[in-house]
Amino acid sequence: MSNSREYTEDRVERMNSFNQSKWSIRTFILIGCLHLVALRAHAANISPAPAADEIRIVELQGAVEISRGGATTWSTSHTNQILHPSDRLRIGSASRCALRWSDQSIISFGASSELEILPPQSAADQSGLHLARGILSFFHRDQPGRIRIITRGAIAGVEGTELVLAVNADDQATLSVVDGRVRFANEHATLVLTNGQQAIAEPGKAPARTAGFIANNLLQWCFYYPAVLDLADLSLTDDENKTLADSLAAYRAGDLLGALAKYPSARQPASESERIYHAALLLSVGDVEKTEAELATTVAPGDSENSRRLAAALRQLISAVKGTERRLPSRPVSIGATPPSRFGNRRSASESLAESYSLQSQSRLAEALTAARDAAAKSPQSGFAYARVAE
């Protein structure tokens, strides 16, 4: 647990020079720590010290499958599982996975990623990997890590501490270097990228530099969003409650990943309230793009005021993490009083909880605590609100 928390905090420090809002970084630290507490599968088990050239699954959320070298079948992966050259992983939609190399490099993979572990090029090298599809984030504490990452478009020779690499369905690879030095090469050309630089490569073409990137936006899929939606604020129908019973039960128990996994995969939300709920589940795994698309559908003309305000609460949380939240009016607030709010006195428990995170992102801790207590008072059965107060 302590190693994972240090990893989160160190990673944030390395991002800081590329972020314009220092309070969004503090929020990221908070969200990461909240998530680490919630990971039941590996929070209670401390991994042993890694052996030479060992690759271990240190975090797993959702559906992740493994196919051992030479096999044609797939089986379910688990945390602390050891990977070897020629092993393949595929990560389901709304799922994530993180691997730790023996030199303490951490590589996180986003939803729908597919990869293969590659053997070291020499005895002095670390094992590499082939990213066939998806997105990864490479992080190494302290000294630059060395690893070879292959895509169809180019090979990335890493001598750095943090980067993001994405490969789309057309085999176009986009490399973004947050910190360090990376050689990005194919048969046509070689580029050397360093801090804040980005390039794109695709089969048959030389790698080309882009105008750069904003790290905070680039890493949204890595961020961890807490639950702010109170189910009591929804107006689900009897049929929706019955169909979503398993997912709703997992949500009430604080198991956001389980709630998403138990949401019917092919189902289209049947109402405004269900769309809000589905958006909250997508946000729990950092899928901001799909969340915002769902919210855009929800806040169509004619939707109820309650749905529009719940959508606004989820957007407020996204803005707090991104550091784009507008500052709320400030005035002295005593513990137990109601803090200033864009929603006035009519705000729901969901709105109060979202506002609590927003206020903390502005380092207004007394007001954040008061907003959290307001959420708990409005919804005494909300475990999320009481957990927020306890923080």
Side-chain angles (χ1 to χ4, degrees):
M1 173 71 76
S2 61
N3 288 340
S4 296
R5 179 170 180 168
E6 290 171 5
Y7 154 57
T8 300
E9 293 175 348
D10 281 6
R11 182 171 196 183
V12 169
E13 290 174 4
R14 299 192 189 282
M15 286 175 53
N16 199 35
S17 62
F18 295 96
N19 275 312
Q20 299 301 313
S21 170
K22 62 183 179 180
W23 301 122
S24 67
I25 296 300
R26 291 191 176 186
T27 302
F28 179 25
I29 295 174
L30 166 69
I31 304 305
C33 291
L34 285 172
H35 171 74
L36 293 170
V37 171
L39 289 176
R40 303 185 307 275
H42 70 279
N45 299 301
I46 300 176
S47 301
D53 200 32
E54 176 184 281
I55 301 173
R56 181 184 294 270
I57 299 177
V58 293
E59 182 176 332
L60 186 154
Q61 305 170 52
V64 180
E65 294 180 307
I66 183 172
S67 179
R68 292 297 189 181
T72 58
T73 57
W74 294 84
S75 58
T76 301
S77 301
H78 57 81
T79 53
N80 284 328
Q81 191 168 18
I82 304 298
L83 304 182
H84 306 284
S86 299
D87 288 349
R88 293 176 293 155
L89 283 183
R90 61 184 184 190
I91 299 158
S93 61
S95 302
R96 293 186 286 198
C97 179
L99 307 180
R100 186 188 66 197
W101 263 246
S102 57
D103 69 346
Q104 300 304 307
S105 295
I106 299 288
I107 303 184
S108 300
F109 299 89
S112 303
S113 295
E114 300 176 15
L115 62 129
E116 179 181 355
I117 304 299
L118 301 177
Q121 285 186 299
S122 70
D125 292 331
Q126 294 282 317
S127 292
L129 67 89
H130 173 213
L131 181 64
R133 197 83 67 245
I135 187 168
L136 67 78
S137 172
F138 171 91
F139 175 84
H140 190 282
R141 279 189 65 172
D142 303 322
Q143 298 301 316
R146 294 176 179 269
I147 189 172
R148 176 177 57 115
I149 305 174
I150 292 178
T151 71
R152 284 199 63 193
I155 297 175
V158 180
E159 296 180 13
T161 54
E162 184 159 16
L163 62 86
V164 175
L165 179 64
V167 178
N168 66 19
D170 297 322
D171 292 321
Q172 183 185 75
T174 302
L175 174 66
S176 309
V177 180
V178 178
D179 186 28
R181 181 176 180 272
V182 180
R183 294 174 62 87
F184 198 40
N186 61 18
E187 67 274 21
H188 299 284
T190 297
L191 294 180
V192 178
L193 305 180
T194 186
N195 298 19
Q197 295 182 339
Q198 183 183 69
I200 293 175
E202 53 188 299
K205 298 181 180 180
R209 295 181 188 272
T210 73
F213 63 95
I214 299 174
N216 200 8
N217 293 337
L218 188 71
L219 289 166
Q220 280 299 303
W221 66 274
C222 292
F223 288 12
Y224 299 110
Y225 290 83
V228 297
L229 180 66
D230 190 326
L231 296 183
D233 293 334
L234 298 176
S235 300
L236 296 173
T237 66
D238 290 342
D239 286 343
E240 288 170 333
N241 276 304
K242 182 178 180 180
T243 302
L244 305 177
D246 291 341
S247 177
L248 294 170
Y251 188 92
R252 292 188 181 95
D255 182 5
L256 303 184
L257 296 175
L260 180 57
K262 293 174 181 178
Y263 187 91
S265 59
R267 181 177 174 83
Q268 293 297 316
S271 67
E272 298 171 15
S273 284
E274 187 178 345
R275 284 199 299 272
I276 293 289
Y277 175 64
H278 190 228
L281 296 183
L282 294 171
L283 189 58
S284 71
V285 292
D287 200 335
V288 175
E289 184 176 348
K290 290 183 180 179
T291 299
E292 291 180 332
E294 196 85 293
L295 295 180
T297 304
T298 300
V299 293
D303 282 350
S304 68
E305 179 188 4
N306 184 60
S307 293
R308 292 196 299 272
R309 289 173 57 172
L310 291 178
L314 293 180
R315 284 203 176 102
Q316 185 178 23
L317 178 62
I318 294 171
S319 296
V321 175
K322 282 188 172 183
T324 58
E325 172 73 351
R326 71 174 180 84
R327 188 171 180 84
L328 298 171
S330 181
R331 65 171 183 247
V333 175
S334 59
I335 301 302
T338 300
S341 168
R342 70 182 66 187
F343 305 116
N345 295 325
R346 298 177 299 112
R347 65 182 181 181
S348 64
S350 301
E351 291 168 321
S352 292
L353 204 51
E355 191 152 288
S356 176
Y357 286 104
S358 178
L359 288 164
Q360 181 161 355
S361 76
Q362 300 170 36
S363 198
R364 296 160 65 176
L365 301 185
E367 294 168 83
L369 174 59
T370 300
R373 285 178 166 166
D374 183 53
K378 284 183 166 67
S379 183
Q381 303 303 315
S382 173
F384 297 120
Y386 280 101
R388 177 68 177 146
V389 171
E391 289 161 15

